[in-house]
Structures are given as C-alpha cells and as structure tokens.
Amino acid sequence: MAKKNQIINDIDKARLKISIEHYIKYFIAKRTMEINKEEALKAIALAVREFAMDKMYETIARYNEQNTKRVYYLSVEYLLGRSLENNLYNLGLFDILMDIKIDGFPSISIEEIFDAEYDPALGNGGLGRLAACYLDSMASVGLPGFAYGINYKFGLFKQAFESGYQIEKADTWDQEDSPWQFARPDRIVKIPINGNVEMFRIGNNDTYTWMNTDFLYGVPYDFPIVGYDGKSVNYLRLFSAKSGQELDINIFNEGGYIDAVKDNIETETISKVLYPSDALEAGKELRLKQQYFFVSCAIQDIIRRFMEKSNDFKKLPELVCIQLNDTHPAIAIPEMMRLLMDVHGQHWDDAWKITTNVFAYTNHTLLPEALEAWSVGLFQKMLPRHLQIIFEINKRFIEEAKNKFGNDSNILNKLSIVTGDGNGQVIRMANLSIVGSFKVNGVAKLHSELIKTRLVPEFYNLWPEKFTNVTNGVTPRRWLLHANNRLAKLISEKVSDKWIINLEELKKIEKFADDEEFMTKFCEIKRHNKKKLTQHIFKLTGVVVNPDSMFIVHAKRIHEYKRQLMTIMQVIGDYLSIVKDNVFPTVSKTYIFAGKAAPSYKFAKLIIKLINNVADIVNNDPTVNNMIKVVFIPDYKVSVAEFLIPAANISIQSSTAGYEASGTGNMKFALNGALTVGTLDGANIEIREAVGEENFYLFGLTEDEVEKLRSSSFSPREVYENSEYVKRIMNTINSNTFCEKDYVLIFKLIFEELINRDTFFVLKDLEAFNNAIKQAEKDYLDKTKWGRKSILNVARIGYFSSDRSVLEYAKNIWDIKPV
C-alpha cells in the first residue's frame, strides 16, 4: 500500500509540475523567471484546478450512476475565503507542491503566493460564511449537495477609515477572471420580467399568460467545492446578469452613446453589488430584481437537470430538495409554481403539492425588522405573475387556517402572507417561506424555541410538525487545519488526524490538559499566532502590540444588539481607572475589534468612530504605559479571520440575550483555544454546556429577564444614576474627552440613546461584563490554569462541526445520504 501511494504521489508531482510550467508559458505567456506572485498564484491555481475538475467529474458520475436525490442550497451570499491553500490540503497536494522544484522560478515564498489571492467578494458575514462551511462539509462527507448564488463583481464594500469614520470603497475581485471559476455559456438562462398578465378562457378553464415582458439572461459560472481528501467535489453555480439587447448602432452613430448601451448597463447592474442600499426606491427595486434573477436561474437549472432524468414532475420531491438560506431566496416558491404551471403544464393542486414537498426554510433572525417584506406595488410592476400566484397561495392558505382558528382576525392577520391596506400592502417573505416549505428550522436550540414561542407562534400552533432545530457548525478544515496548522499538527501527533473528518475526536486531547509538555507546546503555538497577528496589525494599522498581552477580540458585524458598544465602554472604564484613579489592570490587555457596519446604518458607524477615537487617545497616552491597547482591524473578511481567530485569548460574544440566532464566530474561537466572555444567547448556551461552565465567562441578563424588562417600565437612567461605574463612563462619552479634535460632542447621540432607551440593555449588563473581564484577567495570570481552560475548550468543541450539521439536515430534512 505504501509503495502504491508513493507511485501515485510521484505521478501527481510530475503532473502538477508540468501543468504549472504549461500555464506559465502558454497562459501567462512569460518565461518562468519573469513572473510575479500574482501570476505564480494563477498558474498554480489553474494547475490545481485540473485535479479538482477530475474529481468533480468522478463525483458527478457517481451521483448519476446511483440516480441519487440531491439538495440545492440557495443563498444570496457565500463568504468562501481564499481557495488555493484550502484546496491543496483537501486534495492532498500541499506537501507535493512544497517538494516541487521548477527551474528559473523566482524567489517568491509560498506564503507570498497564498497572500496574493483575493477573497471572493461574494458575501458579508455569518450568513455567507455558514453557507461556505456547509458547502465544504457536504463535499467532505460525500453528500450530493450543490449551491446557487449571484456572481457579484464588487461584493459588499472594502472598509477603510478616515478620521475614525468608516468609508466604503468598491471591493473588486475580478470574478470572471478567477482561476477557480469557469463559465458555462451553454447553460445560459432566460428570465422574464415586467410586463402584464392576461387571462384567457379555454373551455371551462382560465389560463393566465405573462405578456409584454422584458428578458434578463443569467450566465452561469461554476466554482468547484473540494471536499477533504478530494473524494467528492461538488460545485457552487453563480450567475452573472447579461442583457439580451444588442448595441443599437443607429442610436450610437447618432451620438446617443449612453442610450445605445443603457439596457446592457441596467441589466448587468443586477450582479454588480451585494446588498445594494435599500434606503432609496431604486435600491429596493434592485434588491428584489437580484433575488428574483438568482432564484429564477436556479429553479430553471434545477428543473432542467431533473428533466434529463424524468418528465414525471410528481417524482421531483424524490430527487430534489431545495434549502432556502433565510428569506432572500423566498421568491423561489412562486417561481417554482409559475414554471410548473405556465411552462410545464401542471395544475395548481399538483404544482403546490410538488412545491411544498421540495422546499425547506432556515430562519436566521429573530429581529422583526430583518424579516423581509416587499411592497405589492413593486411586485405588480416587476413580477405581476408572481404577485398573482402569491395572492392565490395566500387565499387558499387562509382558508386552511380558518379550519384551525376560525375567523379570529388577529391570528389570521399574523399568519397572512399579504398584510396592510391599499398602497401600503406588503408581502411578508418569512410567512411565504413557512407556508411554502415542508420544514422550518432554527440554528440553535434557544433560537429554534424562540421561533416557535415568540416569532411565529401561530404558525407553530398550526403546523408543529414543520418546526425543528439544526445547530450551526463550522468546518474544521478551514478553521483549524488551514487557519491554525501548527495546532492541527500537534493534535494529530497526539491523537491521530481523524478529527479532520470527525471533530468529536478532539475529545481525546482532554487527557493532555494537565500534561506539562503538551501544554507548553500548546501555549507556544498560541504565542506564535499572537506574534504573527501583531505583525499584521502593525502592517494594517501602524499600532505596535505586545504579543504577551491578553488579546480580547470582538470580531463581527457592527450592530447595536451585538453590543460592540459595551466592549468599548469597558475600555473606557479601564482607561479612566488608570488616568483618574492610578489603578492599572492586573494584566496588559489588547482589545481588538473587527467588523463592518452597513453603509446606511448611521448609529453603527458612530460606534466605529467612537472605537477609533478611543483607540487614538488610549494608544497615545503615556500614562497608560502600554497596559491597554485598542486596535480596529479594517476590512474584516475570511483571510483576516484566519490570522485573527487563532491568536485570540478572549472571544467576546456579548449579544443581548434572545437576539443572536446562533453565531459561528463563537465556535471558531473556541476551536482555536480562546475562552468566551458571553451571554446566554444563541449557540453560546450550547457551547457553555459543552466546554464546561468553569471554562466560560458568563455574564448578563437571560432571555426571560430581557423580555420581562422590555414589558416593564425599565429605566436606563435609573441604572445610570445608581452606578458610579456606569455614570463615569457615560459622562466621559458625553464630554469632549474622545472627540476634542472633532470640535463638537459627536458622541452625545450615543449618550442620549443609552440613557433614554437602551434598547439592547447595554447599561444594565455593563457592570456584569466588567466583572467577567476582571475574572478572566485574574485567571490569565495563572498560566497553567489558563492553558488548561484553553485546551479543554478545544477538546470539547467537537459537536460544533458543520459536518455534524449537514448530516443532521440530510437525515432530518433533506432525506439524502452520503454517496
């Protein structure tokens, strides 16, 4: 066996070397000695892609041979991260590449080549990263799972800071020039839009025809998703929008240069930017158009694949399951109905039975304002046939609901997909998703319970069998093997590398939690990661950070309920203790922030400004004597997280209880040995149960306590008046201490928001948060105690693997098995 493996390695080595040389010479068209790191990246990536493509063809052939049911994952975003290093590991080519010598190859390190790869700008935050983890896991466990999305040109935005304020720049990643993507122009999809619906009576039947439509075209690009060991390679299909209009040469020649290409420009805007601002009507229209474009492309492609096997649409649920990742793809439900009825001749009852046995819906939020709702007027203009179908779905559904609830208008209004009157009518996409799906799941135990009891209790009362839970997970390949390879090697040396495909195997390192040699190596790796992070921090921000300080990390999307405001108020409290009381922290601390605020979210952007202004003062005050440092790492993305997460000592997970659906950053940090300071919210609850209460720093109100306060006459001003600690921090925010250079009290708005409303109970939880941080500081001084806690976090986090998550989906929702 060893000899056979060596022969295979030698063949792969020779092939990889020849392919790299080929792409340098014939694709990049340079001599080897002339290439730069970007060109080296492209040549190596194209060579590695050949191996991935071979495995992909084998995988698809295997699925086709067994005629297996497939799941199709629909998500508006995918935060994939860089692919080269990850694919090298998963294909078993990393060590082979390291052993290759190419004549004349310039002295570029492999790290420089990896760093030259730009993160695909296809996602924003947790939703997109979870989708990416699930794609990795489906391929790694051999599930026949494919995904659809939009091939954004610019993504969300590239974050930078000017005078402490977040500014947004275009995030261009040259998607159609990516070495990992390849176009499928033969699979182009035609999508009708606009126009009007006419009714025709044929015999005793009414027939509806969508007429006078315009057309969009979706060109697919496939992105291979390589599973671990390369046994299965699935793919993500992303669509770029193209216009069907040719250049009007007559208008062009008459000087109408813009008018001649206007339709092309407007159409191709659809796949330009992730989450265009919906502050203006044009932005709302573009968002809806994006969502419809992508789901129409996906559903048409899914039906095309199905019809290659069968024309009997009653068999569709036996071979297809479609998972809606939140409400963005919800238009897929009426689109499936439209295609089944208008294109493929199915009657309503048959089409609805098929549709409701194909779709499943994952809810990701408990925030009512985050549940999408679209105006009926916008639908009427853009998607008149879909509006007609939605009205009919709703009419029939309400009649069904009356069998359970009678004519109780209060309950029926909450259940209705369409709500409001006249011009104010809107379509509630979460309601549509629930009505049109056979399963609805939350993403953590608490979240799933709150869906049933707080978000949509009427739906749960109607269909309790629809609701279930699948707790989120993260891929160990990306977040340990790839991001923290030194720790991965240490674990594999001690307990084997089976943990890579079965994360529960990490439990075996628990017996080394008191082993001095193991702990020493474990702590040395953590310090190496911290030193590496300090170099990145200096490069990105110019701030010098002590690697021996306690790294306290708050990295996630900036939002009031995630309470980055609480963390910076903790920093202010530390700073005031030093400069006012001459009381220094027991340990040197570095507070590290990372995350983006939505461009139109002004209060979140003001929080970023406060963090940066506090950092400017604290980092440059000699009185502090470097006992506190504050850093805001700009433009947080997967490649940044990969060097940030392995270096963290403390992971801040401080969302107001009952607001975070799950979180996955909490899992990634614990997997890399960071201890959590967090609330009983989302997956924090399950993580605390897994790692042990003594290895988790709990603080704050529970979800029940939050609800009781919200329904009572809670007074944040009373908290302010009764706590000298809170009052001092608040008064400092309301002064010019951190905004002297701005000439106005720009943070007065934060003071007034907290003292008058404090919607997310920052003031109420602030002292408890401070106590939790102080306890963590005290424990950090005892290196043996801290090392043990850190090791146990890694050892006990195995449940939170995305492999476990997708296998639960496969068993309990999708009804598919590994092939």
Side-chain angles (χ1 to χ4, degrees), residues 586-621:
T586 54
V587 61
S588 175
K589 296 184 289 185
T590 299
Y591 289 90
I592 303 170
F593 295 85
K596 298 177 181 179
S600 58
Y601 193 172
K602 293 181 180 179
F603 196 82
K605 294 174 83 169
L606 187 60
I607 293 170
I608 290 176
K609 170 67 171 170
L610 176 62
I611 293 169
N612 282 324
N613 278 27
V614 171
D616 186 49
I617 296 295
V618 170
N619 294 346
N620 292 291
D621 190 335

Side-chain angles (χ1 to χ4, degrees), residues 10 52 151 163 683:
D10 289 344
N151 200 24
S163 301

Side-chain angles (χ1 to χ4, degrees), residues 574-575 578-579 584-585 617-629:
D574 287 349
Y575 176 68
I578 293 172
V579 298
F584 286 77
I617 296 295
V618 170
N619 294 346
N620 292 291
D621 190 335
T623 312
V624 175
N625 197 27
N626 292 321
M627 288 299 290
I628 309 171
K629 282 288 178 76

Side-chain angles (χ1 to χ4, degrees), residues 40-259:
L41 166 70
K42 180 158 283 191
I44 295 170
L46 288 168
V48 172
R49 193 180 81 172
E50 290 183 6
F51 288 80
M53 295 291 293
D54 287 345
K55 295 291 185 181
M56 189 176 80
Y57 296 138
E58 291 173 13
T59 302
I60 302 304
R62 192 164 69 245
Y63 296 162
N64 287 338
E65 184 181 339
Q66 298 192 28
N67 197 27
T68 183
K69 183 177 183 180
R70 302 182 185 189
V71 63
Y72 299 99
Y73 200 83
L74 269 56
S75 180
V76 78
E77 59 170 289
Y78 296 91
L79 208 58
L80 297 170
R82 296 167 174 170
S83 294
L84 177 56
E85 189 174 1
N86 198 63
N87 287 345
L88 285 167
Y89 277 119
N90 282 359
L91 289 165
L93 295 174
F94 188 90
D95 291 336
I96 291 173
L97 177 66
M98 294 301 98
D99 198 37
I100 288 175
K101 304 291 184 234
I102 296 177
D103 292 340
F105 200 86
S107 57
I108 306 169
S109 71
I110 192 64
E111 289 78 15
E112 289 178 288
I113 293 171
F114 290 153
D115 285 343
E117 185 173 4
Y118 200 86
D119 287 40
L122 299 169
N124 171 34
L127 187 75
R129 187 51 236 170
L130 178 73
C133 282
Y134 282 178
L135 297 190
D136 174 273
S137 285
M138 282 189 271
S140 293
V141 302
L143 289 173
F146 300 85
Y148 289 96
I150 298 176
N151 200 24
Y152 302 105
K153 182 176 178 62
F154 293 110
L156 188 67
F157 62 85
K158 187 173 183 178
Q159 183 191 52
F161 301 128
E162 282 187 7
S163 301
Y165 288 101
Q166 171 182 290
I167 60 168
E168 299 90 27
K169 298 181 178 180
D171 189 14
T172 309
W173 73 285
D174 293 328
Q175 84 282 33
E176 293 178 11
D177 196 39
S178 166
W180 302 111
Q181 284 193 342
F182 44 94
R184 295 289 200 189
D186 57 315
R187 298 300 189 195
I188 194 167
V189 179
K190 184 179 181 181
I191 307 118
I193 194 168
N194 303 325
N196 59 285
V197 178
E198 297 288 346
M199 186 187 81
F200 299 94
R201 195 161 186 82
I202 302 176
N204 294 323
N205 298 316
D206 293 334
T207 301
Y208 298 91
T209 303
W210 192 3
M211 305 174 65
N212 304 314
T213 56
D214 299 317
F215 290 98
L216 311 172
Y217 293 86
V219 179
Y221 289 77
D222 287 351
F223 201 111
I225 305 297
V226 181
Y228 184 67
D229 266 358
K231 293 173 184 174
S232 295
V233 177
N234 298 329
Y235 58 84
L236 164 63
R237 179 160 284 182
L238 301 166
F239 288 91
S240 291
K242 303 294 181 185
S243 172
Q245 299 289 328
E246 295 289 338
L247 173 70
D248 192 322
I249 196 66
N250 292 322
I251 294 176
F252 187 87
N253 288 337
E254 291 171 6
Y257 307 123
I258 301 300
D259 289 340

